[in-house]
Amino acid sequence: MSDTRSDVLVFFGATGDLAYKKIFPALQAMIKRGTLNVPVIGVAKAGWDLEQLQARAADSLKQHGGIDMAAFGKLKELLRYIDGDYSDANTFAALKEAIGSAQRPAHYLAIPPVLFGAVVKHLSEAGCASAGARVVVEKPFGRDLASARALNRTLLEIFDETHIFRIDHYLGKGPVHNMLFYRFTNPMHEAIWSRQYIESIQITMAEDFGVQGRGAFYDQVGTLRDVIQNHLFQVLSNLAMEPPPRSDSESMRDEKVKVLKSIPALEARDVVRGQFRGYREEPGVARDSQVETFARLQLAVNSWRWQGVPFFIRAGKSLPVTCTEVVARLRKPPHVLYGEPRSNYLRFRISPASEIAFGLNIMDQQETGTGDTVELLASRHAGANERDAYERVLHDAMEGDRTLFAREDYVEEAWRIVEPVLGASTPLFLYDPGTWGPSGIEQVVPRGGWSDPQ
């Protein structure tokens, strides 16, 4: 084992929903690939024993991808369990004993952020936060700039920034991860990837379903906090960043922070918030809720490469399709010979399939000179055998690779941008389920309109 790799994985929240849906399948996948062979210590307060946790893991795998008997057998051997309250020092004394002689534990907090402070304090007091220890935390990283700073102070009291891994699992998705590879290995693309040729960039994250019984949670969050401030800002950073001078994690993260630093804070005119009709009837949702289930916004990236190019982001629930994609429209060529041709475009689809495509103009069959747009599909795959996002980020955290994790300054810059338009500071417009958000609102509309995923 390398002197940087974690020699034990501790995960708090072992009996929770996230562990059931994502963590156990990721652990089995890591074992199958040969990247996990250290003890895995689950911690929770459920009144369970190890056998019950193993049964929960088995059920999780049956429901989410299936059991590989050899890998699951290995997982059962590695799995440990400590049942106890997160506020009880005895829980952490038992954890310290279970960790034993391990020098580099990775403590994964798959628990609500409100519990982070108590847990990291107890880890320190029990001697579980040694110099080689890491802490891996789930989003949300606060609700606004002030709470994000407070959360960072809490973590930094015990752990050095280089040992804090803030998970945004979206960065672990293959198509998002590979976006930089595509950009920086294809000079043909990078030659046009600037304000000289790009007119606008759109990012759409659409879901054709509502809150799916999670109304009480969603009504405390909303679209801006749930997916835009984190997931879609990460996509934007990958699109707008400069090539780093080196391939190490800090050089990569430096360039992403520079992108956010170049974005002015949003104003009311930059945002349209919507709420689908029927949302307030969902269980757990306030009858007078002002929480948005849809938002579209316009950002400026005031860097040398992008100044003057508007970036548009749109995300929401109960929209016509479930799809996430990026469309970059190129500036139109001079209309000297053939009237006014349509814009070329480049399209990255992130989900449900991964696609890269180019929109090009050809002569129409009637040769009227108006032309047709055809799409050249450069790459398409459905993601078979691809590493799951959680498998990727957990593996990287245990290896000590921070590239796919948000740094303190990045988190705080993201909150700085959206903070002026959080909550009910801007109007809320109703929209019908199955539509593309509020209609008749002229704010935040790209030149030529939005490109709706097909």
Side-chain angles (χ1 to χ4, degrees):
M1 180 180 295
S2 73
D3 58 3
T4 60
R5 194 170 195 277
S6 296
D7 49 7
V8 62
L9 173 64
V10 180
F11 79 104
F12 292 83
T15 61
D17 192 57
L18 181 61
Y20 184 76
K21 292 180 178 177
K22 297 293 185 180
I23 308 308
F24 287 121
L27 295 177
Q28 177 179 262
M30 291 168 69
I31 291 172
K32 286 176 66 176
R33 292 184 198 273
T35 60
L36 178 65
N37 56 7
V38 300
V40 177
I41 305 172
V43 185
K45 185 182 180 182
W48 290 8
D49 58 21
L50 176 58
E51 188 175 335
Q52 287 172 295
L53 184 67
Q54 291 171 337
R56 172 79 165 175
D59 190 56
S60 160
L61 297 172
K62 288 176 184 176
Q63 299 299 319
H64 302 96
I67 294 179
D68 180 289
M69 295 309 298
F72 180 62
K74 179 67 173 178
L75 178 59
K76 287 178 67 176
E77 291 178 12
L78 297 175
L79 203 57
R80 316 281 189 271
Y81 181 61
I82 295 171
D83 195 85
D85 195 289
Y86 300 146
S87 62
D88 186 350
N90 292 325
T91 303
F92 295 85
L95 175 59
K96 174 62 175 174
E97 184 177 350
I99 290 174
S101 60
Q103 299 296 306
R104 297 177 300 280
H107 300 290
Y108 173 33
L109 309 188
I111 55 178
V114 69
L115 300 174
F116 288 176
V119 169
V120 297
K121 179 182 177 182
H122 280 298
L123 286 173
S124 177
E125 292 173 346
C128 299
S130 59
R134 296 172 184 144
V135 62
V136 186
V137 297
E138 281 284 341
K139 77 172 188 74
F141 313 120
R143 288 182 48 81
D144 51 26
L145 181 56
S147 59
R149 284 174 171 166
L151 178 56
N152 281 330
R153 284 195 299 270
T154 296
L155 296 173
L156 288 166
E157 286 176 3
I158 308 300
F159 293 92
D160 184 80
E161 173 64 28
T162 59
H163 287 178
I164 298 172
F165 292 74
R166 300 171 187 84
I167 283 185
D168 184 341
H169 75 274
Y170 218 71
L171 273 181
K173 289 181 175 290
V176 177
H177 187 59
N178 291 332
M179 196 176 288
L180 295 179
F181 182 88
Y182 172 80
R183 278 193 57 194
F184 298 138
T185 61
N186 291 294
M188 179 180 69
H189 165 86
E190 200 64 8
I192 65 169
W193 199 242
S194 72
R195 58 189 171 88
Q196 291 180 287
Y197 294 98
I198 303 296
E199 177 184 277
S200 67
I201 293 180
Q202 303 177 25
I203 306 170
T204 295
M205 183 178 183
E207 295 173 325
D208 64 3
F209 50 85
V211 293
Q212 296 183 318
R214 300 169 70 233
F217 161 78
Y218 202 84
D219 212 41
Q220 301 298 315
V221 182
T223 301
L224 283 164
R225 288 185 173 98
D226 189 38
V227 297
I228 290 179
Q229 178 270 342
N230 39 63
H231 299 338
L232 298 187
F233 275 16
Q234 292 282 9
V235 173
L236 183 153
S237 297
N238 279 5
L239 293 168
M241 68 181 279
E242 295 300 320
R246 297 190 299 269
S247 61
D248 62 278
S249 63
E250 293 314 298
S251 295
M252 296 283 283
R253 300 201 296 179
D254 285 344
E255 297 303 329
K256 293 185 178 185
V257 171
K258 288 178 186 177
V259 173
L260 296 194
K261 285 184 175 180
S262 70
I263 300 175
L266 291 167
E267 301 178 17
R269 65 185 180 185
D270 302 321
V271 178
V272 173
R273 296 190 312 126
Q275 186 186 92
F276 68 79
R277 288 185 170 86
Y279 170 73
R280 294 175 184 174
E281 282 68 58
E282 293 279 350
V285 173
R287 293 297 173 257
D288 60 349
S289 174
Q290 294 298 302
V291 170
E292 76 280 351
T293 61
F294 171 92
R296 62 178 189 245
L297 53 140
Q298 179 175 340
L299 297 157
V301 180
N302 290 329
S303 65
W304 181 267
R305 183 189 291 256
W306 294 113
Q307 190 172 62
V309 178
F311 283 71
F312 296 90
I313 294 179
R314 174 177 58 167
K317 294 186 175 294
S318 291
L319 302 183
V321 298
T322 295
C323 181
T324 301
E325 74 177 20
V326 175
V327 175
R329 282 194 185 142
L330 276 68
R331 299 189 185 280
K332 291 183 179 180
H335 47 91
V336 176
L337 296 176
Y338 297 109
E340 187 170 357
R342 300 177 180 88
S343 296
N344 290 164
Y345 65 84
L346 173 66
R347 181 172 64 84
F348 292 100
R349 177 162 291 183
I350 295 170
S351 67
S354 175
E355 296 179 351
I356 300 173
F358 302 90
L360 304 172
N361 293 318
I362 62 170
M363 179 66 78
D364 57 290
Q365 290 187 353
Q366 292 74 32
E367 299 187 9
T368 64
T370 58
D372 288 327
T373 298
V374 296
E375 192 169 90
L376 175 64
L377 189 62
S379 172
R380 186 179 197 279
H381 67 89
N385 298 318
E386 185 177 277
R387 279 197 293 171
D388 175 78
Y390 269 95
E391 180 192 351
R392 190 187 302 273
V393 294
L394 286 177
H395 169 267
D396 286 4
M398 294 188 69
E399 291 290 336
D401 185 344
R402 299 185 295 276
T403 305
L404 299 183
F405 297 86
R407 203 166 63 189
E408 175 189 12
D409 51 353
Y410 180 96
V411 170
E412 294 184 5
E413 286 293 329
W415 281 120
R416 174 192 61 80
I417 294 166
V418 302
E419 185 161 55
V421 296
L422 291 176
S425 59
T426 56
L428 186 73
F429 303 95
L430 296 179
Y431 64 96
D432 292 325
T435 65
W436 284 105
S439 60
I441 312 298
E442 298 304 318
Q443 285 175 261
V444 194
V445 178
R447 181 181 175 184
W450 286 90
S451 296
D452 297 335
Q454 301 297 316

